[in-house]
Amino acid sequence: MKAAVYREHDKDPKKVVRIEDVEIPTLKPNEVLIKVEASAYNYNDLWGIWGEPIKIPLPHISGSDVAGTVVEVGEDVTKINVGDRVVSHPNLTCRVCYECTSGREYDCSSRLVWGFQTGPLWGGFAQYTHLPEVNVVKLPDNVSFNDAAAISMVGMTAWHMLVTRAKIEPGQTVLIMGGGSGMGIAGIQIAKLFNCDVIATAGNKEKMDKCIELGADHVVNHREEGWHKKVREITNKEGVDIIYEHIGKTVFPQEVGLLKMGGTLVSTGATTGYDSTIDLRYLFFRGINLLGATQGTKAGLEQVIGWVSKGKIKPVIDTILPFSNMVEGHIKMADSQLFGKIVTTPQKL
C-alpha cells in the first residue's frame, strides 16, 4: 500500500515526507482493517514532523482523523463487520483503569493520540490502516467520508470542551476564539445548538464574515489591539459565561479578564505559546473556573456524528488534496491561511 512516511524530523515537511510503499498492516485479534477514503489534517501532524514538542516513533505515518470502509476484522471483533463505514476515535487508552471505567478515558495515564504518538508506521495518512474495534464509530449513510474525517477530532474535542467540561447551558454568552480554525468552526456550531449568544474571533475580514455565516452572532478580530475591549462592549460590559480557548499566550491574559463572575475558560491548546500570565485577582475575586481539556470520549464523537447526520453540525472543508500532493496540506496548515479542514484522499494518487 501507499503511505506518507517520514524517517527524520525537519521544519520543512517537503524535505522529509515521502509517499512510500509499505506493508498492509497485520491485524491483532481485537482490530479492524480500514480502507482509508479520507484523512484530515491536524496541527499535531506538524508537531510530529517537527519533532516538537515531543519526540514520536520513527519511521512515522501521521494522521489521526480517518474515515473509510472496514475490509477485514480480527477474530475477537464482535460489533464491527466487513463493509461497515467507519470513522476513527483516535484516543487510544487502556480501557480498564479507574479513569477509563468512570467515563474519563481522556485522563487515562496510558493514553496515546493515534497517528501522533503511535508507531512506527501507524497512522491515517495511508491507503489502509488498523485500529482496535473500540476505536471506530459507525457512520450513517448520509455522512460522507470527507465530512466524517473533517469533523472527527475537532468535533469530539469541541464537544468535550463545551458540553463535558464547561457544562454549557442554553442562553449563555460564549466566546469562541479562533473561529476560522477547525476547532473554532466546531465550537461555534455546538454553542449554537444550545441557543447561546456566540461571539467569535478571527484574524481577518474574510474569516470574520464566514464566522457570521456559520451562525456566530458577533465577531471581532483578535489580531487587533484592544480586541478584548470590543468583546466587552458587545456584552454591555457584563462579560462572557464561557471562553473556548486554543490560541494561548497572545490572548490568554485578556481572556481571563472577560469572564463574568463564576465564568469558565476551557482551554485545549496554545498555538501561540504556553508560558502565559494571568491576573490572579480575577481568579479569586470573580470565582472563575480555568479548565483544561484534551480530546474527548467515544460517546462524544458519536454525539457529534449524530448531529452531522441531522444537518445541525456541518463540517467545513477548505481543501481536498490527492494523496500524491498531500504534503501541500502541511504547508498550508502551517501558514494558517485556511477556513476549515484540509482533507487528503489516500485512494486517489
Side-chain angles (χ1 to χ4, degrees), residues 185-211:
I185 289 167
I188 289 171
Q189 295 187 74
I190 291 171
K192 291 310 296 182
L193 277 179
F194 285 80
N195 293 318
C196 291
D197 190 46
V198 175
I199 306 169
T201 80
N204 60 52
K205 187 178 187 306
E206 181 182 3
K207 290 184 178 182
M208 291 168 70
D209 290 342
K210 289 182 177 180
C211 286

Side-chain angles (χ1 to χ4, degrees), residues 7 12 15 18 37 101 146 151 259 279 286 348:
R7 300 177 180 277
D12 184 355
K15 292 182 178 180
R18 300 284 184 269
E37 299 290 350
T101 56
N146 286 345
I151 198 63
L259 288 169
D279 186 332
R286 293 188 185 174
K348 297 177 182 178

Side-chain angles (χ1 to χ4, degrees), residues 124-328:
F125 291 145
Q127 291 183 315
Y128 294 86
T129 194
H130 58 111
L131 277 169
E133 176 185 23
V134 73
N135 283 98
V136 298
V137 169
K138 292 182 183 180
L139 290 177
D141 291 339
N142 66 342
V143 177
S144 72
F145 292 126
N146 286 345
D147 281 351
I151 198 63
S152 56
M153 175 83 85
V154 293
M156 173 186 67
T157 305
W159 189 269
H160 178 51
M161 291 173 70
L162 289 172
V163 181
T164 308
R165 297 291 282 147
K167 302 190 184 305
I168 191 171
E169 295 181 0
Q172 289 183 314
T173 300
V174 180
L175 174 62
I176 303 291
M177 300 300 298
S181 66
M183 283 298 303
I185 289 167
I188 289 171
Q189 295 187 74
I190 291 171
K192 291 310 296 182
L193 277 179
F194 285 80
N195 293 318
C196 291
D197 190 46
V198 175
I199 306 169
T201 80
N204 60 52
K205 187 178 187 306
E206 181 182 3
K207 290 184 178 182
M208 291 168 70
D209 290 342
K210 289 182 177 180
C211 286
I212 295 295
E213 293 175 12
L214 266 180
D217 301 284
H218 316 274
V219 64
V220 300
N221 188 333
H222 59 241
R223 298 189 188 277
E224 293 181 354
E225 186 176 352
W227 67 269
H228 55 292
K229 296 179 181 177
K230 293 182 179 180
V231 174
R232 184 162 290 282
E233 290 172 4
I234 291 170
T235 67
N236 295 317
K237 299 184 179 180
E238 292 182 2
V240 299
D241 296 291
I242 296 174
I243 296 176
Y244 177 95
E245 154 59 13
H246 53 105
I247 295 178
K249 180 178 180 178
T250 60
V251 295
F252 197 86
Q254 295 90 348
E255 290 171 344
V256 172
L258 288 170
L259 288 169
K260 288 181 178 179
M261 298 290 290
T264 296
L265 183 151
V266 57
S267 171
T268 195
T271 53
T272 63
Y274 59 85
D275 54 338
S276 186
T277 61
I278 65 169
D279 186 332
L280 289 173
R281 291 173 294 182
Y282 290 123
L283 185 64
F284 51 81
F285 278 131
R286 293 188 185 174
I288 63 174
N289 306 290
L290 301 180
L291 304 178
T294 180
Q295 292 225 14
T297 65
K298 183 181 178 182
L301 175 58
E302 290 173 335
Q303 290 266 26
V304 169
I305 294 299
W307 285 113
V308 172
S309 176
K310 295 172 183 174
K312 299 297 185 181
I313 294 178
K314 298 179 180 180
V316 177
I317 298 173
D318 181 277
T319 305
I320 299 175
L321 293 169
F323 204 46
S324 57
N325 199 32
M326 61 85 59
V327 179
E328 293 300 322

